[in-house]
Amino acid sequence: MVTRLNFLGVIGKIFIWTFLLGLVVIVVYPLLWMILNGFKENAELFDNPLAFPLDWSWANYAKAWNRGVSNYLMTSVLVTVTSTIATVFISAWAAYGLTRVNIPFNRTVVTLILGGLMLAPAVALVPLVKMFQTLGLYNTFWALLILYTAFRIPFTTFLIRAYMIDLPREIDEAAEVDGSSRWSTFWRIILPMCKPIIVSTVILHILFSWNEYLFAMVFTSGTGVQTLPVGLTSLMSKHGTDYPVVFAGMVIAAIPVVLLFFFGQRYFIKGLADGIGK
């Protein structure tokens, strides 16, 4: 009986390791293929797309950078940073009010906020375009900032609120006894205690805004306000595309997000586990 259990355990471990190695190949191989092809020439790419580059030249990366990727990168950074700060701050303040302040119709307000999760962005495109054109915000940086913030507040509030619910109220009472205002309590005590979920929501919002394509395509048309997902498509031409340059641009676009997730993964996983699991 013991031998049989050991045999089943070994088979189970082999299956798990095989499955995990398969996932690694599925995830890592396309990234490596994209990186390697960024060093090739167009003819070399089509001749043997699976081979290593014959000449490890950074020329394609320089071409991609000079063809507008530098401008698209700066725009994406600006939109991502500002919308992340606005979304996380507003959501954290809203979550604090919903969990720490006895406001009328608290459950109704929570329901309305969570109702925003059911609103598909594509459904609101036509009225939003008309509204932004009327307000003079169409094809501006502010359009993307408002959209990215508004559509992410419900989900971000939901996560931070779930985390704040289990924070002991005695902390607020002790701070109030010491003469701390609500703003001071939120900023100096509650917010630092929510660091794991704050980092998680920051990473999630950065992933969303960095890779978002629909709003960026519909609400921007000038090169000065286009983000990386839309800008990279301009590197492609119906008359002939230099694909290694496109791959090089995609690698440049992926590097910041990969580094962010790599350095913030510990807080990201902990924050989601504590927030969603409650």
Side-chain angles (χ1 to χ4, degrees), residues 5 70 145 159 189:
L5 291 176
S70 58
L145 173 60
L159 289 181
I189 301 175

Side-chain angles (χ1 to χ4, degrees), residues 47-276:
D47 182 56
N48 194 348
L50 302 180
F52 283 92
L54 298 177
D55 181 19
W56 295 81
S57 173
W58 294 92
N60 291 325
Y61 289 87
K63 289 179 183 178
W65 186 264
N66 294 328
R67 289 185 185 179
V69 171
S70 58
N71 295 329
Y72 305 138
L73 180 66
M74 294 306 298
T75 303
S76 287
V77 169
L78 183 61
V79 172
T80 300
V81 170
T82 53
S83 63
T84 299
I85 294 174
T87 300
V88 174
F89 178 77
I90 294 173
S91 299
W93 186 239
Y96 178 77
L98 293 172
T99 56
R100 303 328 240 207
V101 181
N102 295 322
I103 60 176
F105 308 107
N106 188 301
R107 292 185 178 274
T108 303
V109 175
V110 173
T111 303
L112 291 175
I113 292 176
L114 296 181
L117 295 173
M118 297 182 288
L119 179 62
V123 176
L125 277 181
V126 174
L128 283 174
V129 169
K130 292 184 177 180
M131 182 181 73
F132 278 75
Q133 287 175 338
T134 302
L135 297 174
L137 297 176
Y138 184 78
N139 196 31
T140 66
F141 161 80
W142 293 102
L144 295 181
L145 173 60
I146 294 171
L147 291 169
Y148 288 178
T149 301
F151 276 90
R152 293 297 292 183
I153 283 178
F155 179 68
T156 308
T157 302
F158 167 74
L159 289 181
I160 299 177
R161 175 182 174 273
Y163 193 93
M164 283 187 180
I165 285 177
D166 283 356
L167 295 181
R169 288 183 173 269
E170 288 78 6
I171 297 175
D172 301 72
E173 296 172 358
E176 187 177 355
V177 170
D178 291 338
S180 177
S181 63
R182 286 199 180 276
W183 168 256
S184 181
T185 302
F186 164 76
W187 186 255
R188 297 184 178 181
I189 301 175
I190 301 299
L191 207 56
M193 294 180 66
C194 295
K195 183 179 179 180
I197 194 63
I198 294 297
V199 173
S200 297
T201 53
V202 165
I203 294 177
L204 286 173
H205 185 87
I206 289 176
L207 291 175
F208 162 78
S209 58
W210 192 263
N211 298 308
E212 201 281 326
Y213 182 79
L214 181 62
F215 284 151
M217 178 187 67
V218 173
F219 289 89
T220 61
S221 59
T223 56
V225 290
Q226 286 181 332
T227 57
L228 272 170
V230 178
L232 288 175
T233 60
S234 66
L235 298 179
M236 305 181 67
S237 171
K238 61 182 179 181
H239 301 295
T241 300
D242 194 349
Y243 286 100
V245 175
V246 176
F247 287 132
M250 294 169 63
V251 172
I252 295 173
I255 288 175
V257 176
V258 172
L259 292 177
L260 173 72
F261 188 81
F262 178 78
F263 289 108
Q265 60 179 327
R266 181 165 63 92
Y267 288 111
F268 176 74
I269 296 172
K270 184 180 187 302
L272 286 185
D274 293 345
I276 297 178

